[in-house]
Structure formats: structure tokens, C-alpha cells
Amino acid sequence: MADAMNVGVNLEAFSQAINAIQALRSSVTRVFDSLKDGMKNKETLEGREKVFITEFQDNLQSVNRDLNELERLSTLVGRPSESHPLHNSGLLSLDPVQDKTPLYSQLLQAYKWSNKLQYHAGLASSLLNQQSLKRSANQMGASAKRRPKVQPSTLVLPPQYVDDVISRIGRMFPDMSIELFRPNGTSAVLLVTLGKVLKAIVVMRSLFIDRTIVRGFSENVYSEDGKVTDHATTALLHYQLPQMPDVVVRSFMTWLRSYIKLFQTPCQRCGKFLQEGLPPTWRDFRTLEAFHDTCRQ
Ligand SMILES: [Zn+2]
């Protein structure tokens, strides 16, 4: 509101004008006070009238003086700009029943949020563009035609390439068997068997891991409530590197492999093997250390 009034108004003159109004009001009050009090007691009637009239004239003159001063200042104040920053909706700020209909403040708030939203959307958009998974035609524009193709888009990697990456990872971990199926067209599904501890189904979308389900090999104490599946899903979110999907698959498999000692590794915090009948089902994403789900914080 103060900002809005700033436009086209001389605030200095404005405060002087308010003072002038106060002065005018008190001089007018003095006029009526003297009229109300009437003539003061003097020796003679003539003396009383003379004093009364002189006082009355003085008071009227000061009213006149204060009025002139106010008129002078009112020309300096200027008029509020017609072009309000919020255009016509700015006139809502002049609504005298602000408390009942706080439209103007709500409007300002909405504008503020809208600006913020736009700003953050811009940031998000530029971040997402940096990590774009697909190269859309209009994004690259005409310059893409001249640019040599560096590598095929990760979304349409040839199945042979995916097979190679998976079999390479399989050779890295001899204690983990990875079988690859393509039950529905080109997308691969991996059946990962980790010793006698667990089996995992990993659904791929090209070389990206789309989903994973982890089940216990024979016992299902730890998988019944889906703990390891939950952790594995969290791991998928953790290992994100859109430009290097093969590194992501390898990191995920390395992490999954750390479950091979699920029943032989004590919790790194409490030192116990079992807590409430559950082995330490959490594996740190960086160090691969084992923790109970409740001990990991
Ligand atoms: Zn523990």
C-alpha cells in the first residue's frame, strides 16, 4: 500500500499538510472557544467589547493564515498516479472495508507466489534440460543435423548392447547369477540370484532399471514386508546418472551383491545380527555397510 502511494506523491509535503490541517483545526477551535467564553470581565462595557473583538479578529486571522498554508501545501502534495502498478486491480487497495474483503492483500500474495513458481519452474526446466534423456527434434533444432552423432540415444540402445553390458556385469560378480529374458519385446527382465540369500527381478527399460522386486531365497522373514524391495527401490533413486546408464546398473548390482552376507554380517551400529527377528536389511549406498532398518539413522 505504501509502495502504491509512493507513486506521484510528495511525502514530505504530505506530512506538512497533515500538520497544517491540525493547525487549522486548533485555530478554528480557538475561534469557537472564544465565542463560547464570551466577553471577559473588564472595568467598562466598552473595554470588554474591544478586547473581545480584538481577540476574535486575531483568531480569525490565524484561521485564515492556516487555511492559506494548507492550500499552498496541497498544491505541492501532487496527486496519486493514475497508473497503478497493478492497474485497475490496484484500486482494490482503496477498499475501505479491508478487514472484511482482504482481496488486495490476497492478490499481492498470489502475485508473489506466482512469481516464485515461475522462477522455480525455470530453474527446474533448465536442470531437466541438462539431464535430458531423449534428444527431442525441436530441442536440438537445425544445428543437430550438422553435428556428428556422438552416441545413440540411451532410450533406443540396441538390445545387443544391453546384453553385452549385462553379461559384463555378470562376469564381474561370479557369486551372483544374472539371467536375461525378453518376455515382452525389446525390454529386458533380469533374474538375479544371489547365492542362497535372495532373488531379484529387475525390469529394464533399455539400459535403465525401471523396477525391481527382491524376494528371499527360501526364508521370507525379511522380504515378507518388502523391506529389501523398498531399499532396492530407494537405491534405484539414489544411483541416478542419466548420461551413464551402464554405470548405474553396475552400481546397483554392486549394492545388491552386498546382501550375499545378509545373515553373516552384524549391524554396524548395534553389533547384533537380528533385531526383532530381522537381519540388518539396510546397506549403505556408499560404503555398503550393513544396518538394521531402525539403526541406519
Ligand atoms: Zn542394528
Side-chain angles (χ1 to χ4, degrees), residues 267-272 275 280 291-296:
C267 167
Q268 293 299 301
R269 172 168 285 209
C270 69
K272 292 180 192 158
Q275 196 188 70
F291 292 95
H292 290 111
D293 195 26
T294 48
C295 291
R296 65 189 163 106

Side-chain angles (χ1 to χ4, degrees), residues 89-241:
S89 52
L91 297 174
L92 282 171
S93 69
L94 304 177
D95 188 354
V97 280
Q98 267 276 355
D99 293 344
K100 284 181 192 154
T101 52
L103 272 181
Y104 184 68
S105 53
Q106 284 171 355
L107 189 73
L108 287 185
Q109 202 70 14
Y111 273 121
K112 219 182 274 178
W113 275 99
S114 155
N115 284 344
K116 256 187 217 169
L117 187 69
Q118 204 169 11
Y119 173 70
H120 286 290
L123 288 182
S125 149
S126 67
L127 272 176
L128 286 173
N129 275 337
Q130 278 170 22
Q131 310 202 335
S132 170
L133 298 186
K134 53 182 168 192
R135 302 167 169 224
S136 78
N138 47 6
Q139 184 190 334
M140 301 296 282
S143 64
K145 284 172 192 154
R146 269 173 268 127
R147 200 176 296 171
K149 225 174 185 180
V150 185
Q151 60 175 52
S153 160
T154 42
L155 269 185
V156 289
L157 284 172
Q160 187 56 45
Y161 181 77
V162 178
D163 290 1
D164 287 351
V165 170
I166 299 299
S167 74
R168 216 166 36 237
I169 291 172
R171 282 199 299 275
M172 281 172 61
F173 308 117
D175 43 6
M176 191 161 78
S177 101
I178 303 176
E179 294 167 71
L180 190 148
F181 305 93
R182 292 186 195 279
N184 285 312
T186 51
S187 287
V189 173
L190 311 179
L191 174 63
V192 182
T193 311
L194 189 59
K196 294 269 183 220
V197 181
L198 55 78
K199 283 180 187 229
I201 292 172
V202 180
V203 181
M204 309 285 290
R205 188 168 42 87
S206 184
L207 205 47
F208 293 94
I209 301 177
D210 206 55
R211 238 198 118 177
T212 181
I213 300 165
V214 185
R215 283 282 171 263
F217 199 86
S218 48
E219 303 97 327
N220 50 12
V221 270
Y222 52 89
S223 59
E224 224 167 29
D225 61 352
K227 270 272 186 294
V228 180
T229 299
D230 284 352
H231 297 338
T233 308
T234 316
L236 289 183
L237 296 173
H238 175 80
Y239 297 120
Q240 283 287 347
L241 211 57

